[in-house]
Amino acid sequence: GAVVSQHPSWVICKSGTSVKIECRSLDFQATTMFWYRQFPKQSLMLMATSNEGSKATYEQGVEKDKFLINHASLTLSTLTVTSAHPEDSSFYICSARDFSRRGGSYNEQFFGPGTRLTVL
Amino acid sequence: RKEVEQDPGPFNVPEGATVAFNCTYSNSASQSFFWYRQDCRKEPKLLMSVYSSGNEDGRFTAQLNRASQYISLLIRDSKLSDSATYLCVVTRDDKIIFGKGTRLHILP
């Protein structure tokens, strides 16, 4: 199947610093990528939809100035958590769809391995 | 009410037993349906798509009832390695909505 990578896999930072997370599609082009956040024992919550070459679409309640998304190429989207605080500590997961796959798996999401962010 | 609801769990089931997961969705415009599996501190992985005609993959059987807006997953002859959280996932337009997940513990 398609592969999506994320970097870093985990990060610990001080409160007030900014953290950048990269999401890459390794063997396909992804015009659209998705960023999720998952708190312990909670479901994945969609934060934003990242569109290559245009602005991201944020879900209600997600601050676009705090979670900066840049989708500069067909294989890379970045999420920057600006001025991170302890309440931003979470598991951040990106996903992408491979639109070249038609048929039954068309809507399959390929997930990155996730980035665990801990803000002290 | 959440758009996708699942059994709260956790399920603690002896090895070899049959396990059934239930999921309901509230929006009749939902288009595609999936079961994902998520291991602790890992990303979700697609287990199987769900079709109205029902589909089976080895020990796993998924069923969709559009009239009742209900999705099920059956695991037969459960193995220790089946222990995970099972997520019901529904898509509508470009949105992908996850259920909260049901945690399954298979007991030796």
Side-chain angles (χ1 to χ4, degrees):
Chain A
V3 177
V4 174
S5 71
Q6 269 185 252
H7 177 80
S9 55
W10 60 269
V11 59
I12 302 173
C13 68
K14 289 183 179 180
S15 185
T17 58
S18 293
V19 176
K20 181 188 279 189
I21 304 170
E22 293 185 349
C23 177
R24 292 181 186 273
S25 56
L26 296 185
D27 56 355
F28 67 101
Q29 294 182 331
T31 53
T32 304
M33 290 183 174
F34 304 89
W35 286 97
Y36 295 85
R37 181 167 53 181
Q38 186 177 33
F39 293 105
K41 299 188 180 181
Q42 299 291 319
S43 182
L44 276 78
M45 296 297 296
L46 179 65
M47 298 176 67
T49 302
S50 171
N51 304 297
E52 188 267 336
S54 65
K55 291 183 180 180
T57 305
Y58 290 82
E59 294 299 302
Q60 194 172 15
V62 178
E63 298 175 58
K64 62 181 181 180
D65 294 329
K66 180 167 181 64
F67 298 100
L68 301 178
I69 291 172
N70 184 13
H71 195 149
S73 78
L74 286 170
T75 59
L76 173 64
S77 174
T78 61
L79 168 69
T80 301
V81 183
T82 61
S83 186
H85 291 284
E87 57 266 30
D88 298 322
S89 299
S90 189
F91 192 46
Y92 292 85
I93 305 177
C94 72
S95 73
R97 287 183 191 173
D98 181 359
F99 283 93
S100 66
R101 295 170 180 243
R102 299 292 174 178
S105 64
Y106 170 66
N107 279 314
E108 181 178 352
Q109 291 284 303
F110 295 99
F111 287 88
T115 297
R116 187 160 298 282
L117 170 64
T118 302
V119 185
L120 304 176
Chain B
R1 185 190 171 196
K2 292 191 182 300
E3 188 164 347
V4 178
E5 302 249 31
Q6 290 186 243
D7 294 324
F11 290 175
N12 298 303
V13 173
E15 193 176 5
T18 295
V19 187
F21 297 97
N22 300 313
C23 173
T24 57
Y25 59 96
S26 60
N27 195 319
S28 59
S30 300
Q31 294 155 320
S32 301
F33 310 89
F34 307 88
W35 282 103
Y36 276 74
R37 169 194 170 130
Q38 186 176 24
D39 292 289
C40 192
R41 295 175 180 260
K42 301 281 189 181
E43 75 278 18
K45 292 188 187 295
L46 179 67
L47 184 63
M48 56 199 308
S49 303
V50 190
Y51 307 112
S52 298
S53 55
N55 48 311
E56 187 174 314
D57 183 4
R59 298 182 293 111
F60 299 83
T61 302
Q63 197 77 42
L64 164 66
N65 185 322
R66 283 191 183 269
S68 304
Q69 296 181 192
Y70 169 85
I71 306 155
S72 66
L73 174 69
L74 193 74
I75 304 177
R76 290 181 299 278
D77 188 24
S78 55
K79 313 288 184 194
L80 294 175
S81 56
D82 294 332
S83 297
T85 296
Y86 290 81
L87 302 166
C88 176
V89 178
V90 171
T91 69
R92 175 173 50 80
D93 300 322
D94 255 357
K95 289 211 177 279
I96 300 162
I97 304 107
F98 286 81
K100 198 173 177 180
T102 303
R103 185 147 185 81
L104 173 65
H105 297 285
I106 302 298
L107 307 172

